[in-house]
């Protein structure tokens, strides 16, 4: 089990969070940049689903080939990157 788990994810450049789209199957959500979910305690074998949407800047230069994003789960002294 993991205690006091927190998820954080910065909104990538050239994108913005769609207001009201942050959702989690467990814990309290906080929209901002970064977005945060205070998940709480997670038992062994338990899954927590977190969803959110971003909108890509319509004025994005076509030469930008991709937008990259990385979220993090943190608890205690541990940190694990999301896919």
């Amino acid at each position: 089990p993991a205690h006091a788990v927190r998820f954080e994810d910065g909104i990538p450049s050239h994108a913005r969070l769609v207001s009201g789209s942050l959702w989690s199957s467990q814990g309290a959500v906080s929209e901002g940049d970064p977005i945060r979910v205070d998940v709480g305690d997670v038992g062994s074998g338990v899954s927590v689903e977190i969803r959110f949407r971003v909108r890509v800047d319509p004025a994005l230069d076509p030469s930008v080939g991709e937008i990259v994003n990385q979220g993090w789960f943190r608890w205690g002294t541990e940190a694990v990157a999301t896919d």
Side-chain angles (χ1 to χ4, degrees), residues 23-26 39 41-50 73:
W23 175 88
S24 178
S25 62
Q26 177 178 319
V39 176
D41 295 346
V42 179
S44 296
V46 173
S47 296
V48 175
E49 184 177 350
I50 297 171
F73 281 99

Side-chain angles (χ1 to χ4, degrees), residues 1-2 9 21 32 39 41 43 52 67 76:
D9 194 341
S21 70
V39 176
D41 295 346
F52 63 94
I67 295 176

Side-chain angles (χ1 to χ4, degrees), residues 5 12 18 26 30 33-35 37-40 45 50 52 56 62 64 70 74-77 83:
V5 176
V18 174
Q26 177 178 319
S30 176
D33 190 6
I35 60 171
V37 179
D38 291 319
V39 176
I50 297 171
F52 63 94
V56 176
V64 176
Q70 184 71 67
R74 302 178 193 279
W75 65 98
T77 60
D83 291 340

